[in-house]
């Protein structure tokens, strides 16, 4: 367990190979290195990060970014398009929206308008996914990564997860070769990550404008990848039940719980 991504990150791994303990330890170290790389590349404001370079770029200028950044932007674009713009990790501090971002054939990024991208939880989920990939590439037979609400497991072991909610009944989830993301956002903002308040604030404010008196939003989603699961929780927070159902079907995901719905069967 280490501190990373603004939370505690727990990584477990096992292998059948000779010298299993040392191999597993090296695999875990490789997984934490993958997380650190994502934390650097996808920080919204840290000097030199890919997101900071995109956010500071002049309109229509080309910004070269790393392959990891291209992967998560491509996923964000898929969810943005599938949700008809409901998922949009651009904060109101700039006029541009995610639809103004173009990924060129050469892998560079161009923006048609000034943007302030804050990938927030989807970046954390992506870090979990890359950590899982690092464990698999290191020859591990099972692995589990938990980064404060975004988690993923692979291998034959089933992980029993209890999602504890500040208000409401705890939810039991069995995680096996899948990912789980949880978003729990309160009205006063105290539950929002300190570096990602712009995106979560917009989620709550837009949702609350359609449902006055709403004091808390909660969503738990399982999917094949942690980044996808996290992105879909934001769609649940903002979208209609009909849209949520369509997105779950399209991406092969499952809605485990919202404020008004609980289903612990995967």
């Amino acid at each position: 367990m280490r501190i990373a991504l603004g939370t505690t990150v727990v990584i477990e791994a096992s292998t059948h190979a000779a010298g299993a303990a040392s191999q597993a330890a090296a695999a875990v170290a490789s997984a934490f290195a993958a997380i650190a790389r994502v934390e650097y590349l996808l920080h919204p404001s840290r000097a030199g990060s890919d997101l900071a370079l995109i956010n500071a770029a002049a309109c229509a200028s080309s910004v070269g970014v790393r392959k990891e950044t291209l992967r998560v932007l491509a996923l964000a674009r898929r969810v943005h398009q599938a949700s008809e713009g409901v998922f949009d990790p651009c904060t109101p501090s700039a006029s541009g929206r995610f639809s103004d971002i173009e990924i060129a054939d050469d892998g560079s990024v161009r923006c048609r308008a000034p943007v302030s991208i804050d990938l927030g939880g989807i970046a954390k989920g992506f870090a979990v996914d890359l950590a899982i990939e690092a464990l698999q590439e290191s020859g591990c037979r099972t692995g589990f990564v938990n980064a404060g609400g975004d988690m993923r497991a692979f291998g034959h072991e089933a992980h029993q997860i209890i999602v504890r909610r500040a208000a409401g009944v705890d939810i039991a989830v069995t995680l096996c070769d899948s990912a789980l993301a949880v978003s729990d956002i309160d009205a006063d903002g105290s539950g929002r990550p300190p570096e990602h308040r712009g995106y979560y604030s917009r989620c709550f404010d837009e949702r609350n404008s359609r449902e006055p008196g709403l004091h808390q939003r909660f969503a738990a989603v399982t999917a094949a990848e942690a980044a996808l699961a996290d992105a879909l929780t934001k769609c649940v927070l903002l979208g209609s039940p009909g849209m949520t159902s369509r997105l779950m079907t399209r991406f092969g995901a499952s809605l485990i719980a919202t404020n008004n719905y609980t289903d612990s069967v995967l």
Side-chain angles (χ1 to χ4, degrees), residues 24-41:
V28 169
S30 178
F32 273 116
I35 287 174
R37 180 167 173 79
V38 173
E39 186 172 26
Y40 168 70
L41 292 179

Side-chain angles (χ1 to χ4, degrees), residues 51-61 88-101 110-117:
L51 286 195
L53 292 174
I54 294 171
N55 290 340
C59 291
S61 63
D88 191 332
C90 289
T91 73
S93 60
S95 61
R97 302 267 63 85
F98 200 73
S99 56
D100 294 310
I101 299 170
R110 299 182 181 90
C111 301
R112 294 189 296 266
V115 297
S116 175
I117 309 173

Side-chain angles (χ1 to χ4, degrees), residues 182-206:
V182 178
S183 289
D184 198 348
I185 305 167
D186 50 25
D188 64 6
S190 61
R192 303 171 196 152
E195 295 175 348
H196 302 291
R197 294 184 184 274
Y199 178 70
Y200 286 105
S201 177
R202 186 170 64 83
C203 280
F204 179 81
D205 292 343
E206 291 186 9

Side-chain angles (χ1 to χ4, degrees), residues 48-74:
S49 78
D50 281 354
L51 286 195
L53 292 174
I54 294 171
N55 290 340
C59 291
S61 63
S62 179
V63 179
V65 298
R66 283 77 158 189
K67 61 182 180 180
E68 296 92 342
T69 303
L70 291 174
R71 280 181 60 184
V72 73
L73 288 177

